Amino acid sequence: ADDLIRHHPQPHRLKVFLQLEAKNMAIFLPDLFSTVPETNTTLDLAFNETITGTLSFNGQRCTALKLLFVPSDHASFFLEKFVERVEAVSVGLPWEADEAGNYPTVTPLPNMKRIEYMRKLIEDAESKGAKVMNRRGGTIIGGEH
């Protein structure tokens, strides 16, 4: 962030932009995409950290990544790989392991009020042109209680 601020033509504006009241961001620089994706361990690590940063605690923490900046030349590739990673995330109750002994990454929201709030956020984003890209995105799983 310091380098971005130092080299920006209007650093006072950028500094305000970088302090978005818990709208934490991940910035993917072009050189991250410079090697073959299948052998790029740095890119693989970046995807893993992005999934953790966006989805751990259901994104309901002040340090969650909310904005992802990707060079436009790599946006389609990034989106495809990010959606694949999201699709692979396990969903369930925190104390219930799967057959392999792994516990879910995404766990239930605490109450129906929070579910409705998330639904409204999705509807708002879609009304502004956003698209749900993953197969289960925006669906409620369970919630009988």
Side-chain angles (χ1 to χ4, degrees):
D2 290 339
D3 280 345
L4 289 172
I5 293 168
R6 187 172 29 259
H7 291 97
H8 196 275
Q10 296 176 326
H12 61 286
R13 289 187 177 173
L14 187 59
K15 191 166 186 166
V16 169
F17 177 72
L18 292 172
Q19 297 172 350
L20 292 171
E21 297 182 12
K23 297 296 184 242
N24 302 301
M25 62 185 76
I27 301 172
F28 292 80
L29 300 175
D31 64 336
L32 185 61
F33 301 91
S34 63
T35 60
V36 179
E38 292 75 28
T39 60
N40 189 337
T41 56
T42 305
L43 181 60
D44 190 54
L45 177 62
F47 273 115
N48 290 342
E49 292 300 319
T50 303
I51 291 296
T52 299
T54 55
L55 297 180
S56 63
F57 298 101
N58 300 327
Q60 300 294 300
R61 67 186 209 289
C62 63
T63 58
L65 294 175
K66 305 280 193 320
L67 302 170
L68 306 177
F69 290 93
V70 178
S72 57
D73 294 351
H74 303 287
S76 294
F77 169 80
F78 180 88
L79 184 59
E80 177 186 333
K81 295 300 179 190
F82 187 74
V83 168
E84 284 176 13
R85 299 283 178 117
V86 170
E87 292 289 342
V89 166
S90 58
V91 178
L93 296 172
W95 54 84
E96 293 181 356
D98 63 15
E99 303 81 36
N102 299 313
Y103 290 91
T105 303
V106 176
T107 57
L109 292 171
N111 55 49
M112 290 305 290
K113 182 178 176 183
R114 205 67 188 156
I115 292 169
E116 286 305 313
Y117 173 71
M118 293 300 287
R119 185 188 311 278
K120 286 179 184 176
L121 290 176
I122 292 168
E123 289 171 3
D124 179 58
E126 288 177 325
S127 76
K128 294 175 175 143
K131 295 179 189 174
V132 174
M133 301 300 292
N134 59 308
R135 177 169 39 88
R136 296 179 294 180
T139 60
I140 296 174
I141 301 168
E144 302 85 36
H145 305 287

